Amino acid sequence: MSTLRSILLRRESGIAVMIVLFCLAVGSVKPQFLTLDQLRIILLLTPLIMIGAMGQMLVIVARHVDLSIGSMLGVSAMVSGMLYRFVEVMPWWAGIPISIAVGATLGLGNGLLITLFRLPAIIVTLGTLSLYRGLTFIISNAKQIDRQYIPSELKALSQTSPIFGIPWIIFIAFGVAILTYLFAMHTRVGRQIFALGSNPVAAPLRGIKVTQVTLLVFAISGALSGLAGILYASRWGFVNPSNTGSGFEFQVIAAVVIGGASINGGVGTVLGTVLGVLLLGCVAAALPLLGIPGTSQAAIYGAVILIALIIDRSVRRQGIVSLKRAGA
């Protein structure tokens, strides 16, 4: 009974129920939604969001928020794209560490502004959202990196692999999720991030170096945004300064919050975040299939997020009531 109680009370249970109900509802109207081909489409819609969401989860757990992740993605992708274009001898794999390093540097810049000047993260990253987006236009001279400049080996990461034909980009995303889980739950620094978010006032008294931990979570957020940036070039085959990463922060923060992370800090799980990402992927795949006009998709997308949160809370409340009755 105690095991059943713990399962029903977990945020992940409500999100899993929502995913099942949503898929069944769409499948009743469009049976092709419940096919393996459609599952592949859903999985291809999720890797970039999942990678960004892992970094954002750590930031939110530490009681901050990073609104600049989409712009960091854009800068990182553009820097790597321009190197591919102008440095002919550059190996295709070199863009990956370069993009990660660019993102980590930008994320560290966010952390420095927050810690040195003691400014709210939401204000700082709202400013750097525009600053980094402008930087993307400046370094690219407002010109797109076209498909012919993106190495075929990089694009192949989003096309296939020897393992059941599943694209490597999906394995990379789940690999990042696993590494985030190991870091957050099985390292001293990971536990310090949760402690900092739970009680920022008491954290220094417990020996937690608040400045270093804050810098770390923003650097990780930037680094993962950079990884998402190079994989964006892989997934879509181009980098455009105006739309690369645009709106990415909304999707990532939505996935993290749906997955159970608390804006008040100290609470969040990798599994919940993964389920939140998968729910958003299901919604994104279903709307075009249902013939929803593009002008209406954003409104429905937001409505589904709110419905998911409501159903999640209802499921947990019903679980509490059921368990109390069973105990009686």
Side-chain angles (χ1 to χ4, degrees), residues 72-89:
M72 291 192 292
L73 182 155
V75 175
S76 302
M78 184 58 70
V79 169
S80 296
M82 291 184 67
L83 289 174
Y84 285 134
R85 180 177 181 179
F86 295 110
V87 184
E88 296 182 359
V89 297

Side-chain angles (χ1 to χ4, degrees), residues 149-171:
Y149 299 112
I150 306 299
S152 57
E153 296 91 344
L154 181 63
K155 290 184 285 190
L157 293 178
S158 299
Q159 296 167 357
T160 187
S161 78
I163 307 175
F164 303 110
I166 300 173
W168 286 112
I169 191 173
I170 296 175
F171 290 111

Side-chain angles (χ1 to χ4, degrees), residues 110-175:
N110 286 336
L112 287 171
L113 290 172
I114 292 166
T115 56
L116 290 178
F117 298 100
R118 300 185 182 277
L119 296 172
I122 191 171
I123 301 300
V124 170
T125 57
L126 181 62
T128 54
L129 181 153
S130 297
L131 174 63
Y132 295 158
R133 179 62 60 185
L135 183 61
T136 306
F137 279 93
I138 292 172
I139 63 177
S140 66
N141 198 24
K143 294 181 180 179
Q144 174 176 292
I145 302 298
D146 294 321
R147 187 174 184 84
Q148 66 266 27
Y149 299 112
I150 306 299
S152 57
E153 296 91 344
L154 181 63
K155 290 184 285 190
L157 293 178
S158 299
Q159 296 167 357
T160 187
S161 78
I163 307 175
F164 303 110
I166 300 173
W168 286 112
I169 191 173
I170 296 175
F171 290 111
I172 293 172
F174 279 96

